[in-house]
Each structure stands twice: as C-alpha cells, then as structure tokens.
Amino acid sequence: MQIGPYALKNNLVLAPMAGVTDRPFRQLCRELGAGMAVSEMVSSNSLLWGSEKTRRRADHAGEDEPRSVQIMGADPRLMAEAARHNAARGAQIIDINMGCPAKKVCNVQAGSALLRDEPLVKAILEAVVAAVEVPVTLKIRTGWDRDNRNGVNVARIAEQCGIQALAVHGRTRADGYSGDAEYDTIKAIKQAVAIPVIANGDITTPEKARAVLERSGADGVMIGRAAQGRPWIFREIEHHLRTGERLPEPGVAEIRDILLGHLRNLYAFYGDYAGVRVARKHIAWYSKGQRDGAAFRARMNQTDSVEEQLAITRAFFDRLAEQEELAA
Ligand SMILES: Cc1cc2nc3c(=O)[nH]c(=O)nc-3n(C[C@H](O)[C@H](O)[C@H](O)COP(=O)(O)O)c2cc1C
C-alpha cells in the first residue's frame, strides 16, 4: 500500500489506541509484521504540548518509517497548528481522528462528532493539508448514526481536500463499540474514491482479515483490539493473505520472550515507576485465556517492582511452557 511517498511493506496497519499504542507497542507490532502503526492521539490544544504525556507521545526515537501521528480537534486553525507542530517533531504522516466516539471527545465536537458537520470537516481537512508538506490521512466511522451514514460524502470531501488515505471503522458514531462492524459502507466508500481505503473494526483473525478485504474491496486492514496481548496477529494475517495457510499459534516460550522484551522496552520508555503500571494491562492481555491467568494477574497488581514483575512473569510462562512440553 502506498501513502504519499511511502510504500508500506504490506497493507496491515495497527489502529491508534490512546493509552495503548505507545512507542514500545508500535515498535513491537511493526517487528511482528505490521506495515504501519499509527501513534496515539496528540491533542490540538497547544496548552498540553508541554506536558510529559504529550512529550512522550511525540517521542519517535528509533521508530520505523513512516511515523504517523494522530491529531484531534475541531478548530481548523488549531488543527493546522498541531499538524505543523508534529511534523516539525518528526511526524512523517499526520492522521486526523474523526473516528473516536468518546463522550469527552464528542462533547467538544471533535472525533466522530465532526461527521455531522460536513462543511467543518472540509474546513479542517483543507487547513491541515495546507499546513504541512507531509501526507495527511483521515480516520472516520461510517457516519453519525445508522440513519445518517454519510461516510461516502465525507470520503469524497477528504479526497477533494487532498487526504492521501482513509481508514474507516465499520460502525457509526452512535454505535459506540456495540453491535458488529459492517463492511458494506466501507465497500461503498472504496468505490467512491481513488485514494487507499483501510477497513477497520472487529478484525480478529487472519480469516476475518481476508474476508473483510474481499467483501469491502479495501486496500488494507487496520487492527486495534485484537492486537492487544497478541501483537503477532500481524504476521499471522500477513502469512494467511500470502499463502492461504494459518501459521501455528506461537508457543508459550515465544510468548514469554516477546512479553519480557515488551516489558523491558516499557520500563526504558516510561521509567520504572510508570513502566510497571503501564505494563500491567499488557501483561493482563497476554495472559488472557491462559491457565491460572486470573491468579497471576491478581499477583501482578500487587507489585510495584520491575524485578518482581519480570520474575513473576517469567515464572508464570515457564510453568506454562513446562505444562505445554509435558502435554506434547
Ligand atoms: C483503548 C482504545 C483506544 C482508542 N483510541 C483511539 C484514538 O485515540 N484514536 C482513534 O482514532 N481511534 C481510537 N480507538 C479506536 C480504534 O482505533 C479502532 O477504530 C476501534 O477499536 C475498532 O477497531 P478494532 O475492532 O480492531 O479494535 C481506540 C480504541 C480502543 C479500544
């Protein structure tokens, strides 16, 4: 898939997820097969730019290209400023969030709430595209609600404004995360525009990725929640799309090694204090469905020490690996 000057190694994209897609997680997903990883959102409110959180979010040291940074807001002038600010700090693609349904976001008329106001969408997109040299991409939902699925209109506006790729989550803003994502509106969008369209929503397996690509005709797929605790889903999808076969699930020993590496990168990125805390949710995701996982997670939440977190994690997966060997 091509986005502006960037030829991605494949058409698999890690979805931006605030609080999840930090640099360590993006790098891990790229290593395990994602062609691109969109960084979590940066507010267009410049009052926040000096904060530790925003500074960390804009830290791309050592990250694979292209580095895509998402911005969000409802004021064209502030969005243009945010785009310039991030491009100056190394963003190679600016992604605009019009897909987030969070109340906090929609109350200030940003994220997917903007889909209701097509003239404002146009004003924001024009302002951001004019503000930076780098390609600008857009992430939307299929519409405001089921009676107002205006995704095709918004896609046309986006193309006219110079947006270079469009990710579409197959739900409306009103759907939140309930119900199943649908891909027919994504298909209609794909047919309406010539820019790359990336299908998103409920893609949880390689087979589903293939089915969504076939059904929608989209150029690529974007994976969010299914990559939590399973960053290797990208190589599984890549393999399946290439060969039609399913890669075997990673063994427990490999999962252990991936997780331990992930934890070390989290400590290095956040420092020990915050790193241990951020790591807990990832550890919980990796251990979901594993035998005695609940007791392991409870124990994990009681420790604040890097050494202990590493040791408990190693011991848990070592024991699972032994059981796996015995069963083999
Ligand atoms: C924890 C979490 C945080 C998210 N944060 C963002 C965000 O900052 N920007 C955005 O455009 N979408 C955000 N999303 C939406 C995802 O990018 C994606 O569109 C959605 O989860 C559907 O894809 P999935 O079914 O593969 O998870 C978030 C989703 C989750 C679960």
Side-chain angles (χ1 to χ4, degrees), residues 3 34 84 100 138 157 182 199 220 233 312 323:
I3 300 184
R84 267 193 298 271
C100 189
L138 175 66
I157 292 169
E182 54 89 15
I233 190 170
I312 298 170
Q323 287 163 355

Side-chain angles (χ1 to χ4, degrees), residues 114 121 175 202 204 249 277 306:
L114 289 170
V121 168
D175 290 333
D202 296 350
T204 48
E249 291 275 318
R277 285 158 181 79
V306 162

Side-chain angles (χ1 to χ4, degrees), residues 15-18 20 41 70 97 99-100 139 169 171 177 200-203 222-226 228:
M17 289 181 282
V20 181
M41 209 161 58
Q70 190 179 65
N97 176 357
C100 189
K139 180 159 176 285
H169 178 183
R171 287 188 175 86
Y177 285 91
N200 169 240
D202 296 350
I203 298 170
M222 174 178 270
I223 317 291
R225 289 163 296 174
Q228 294 172 346

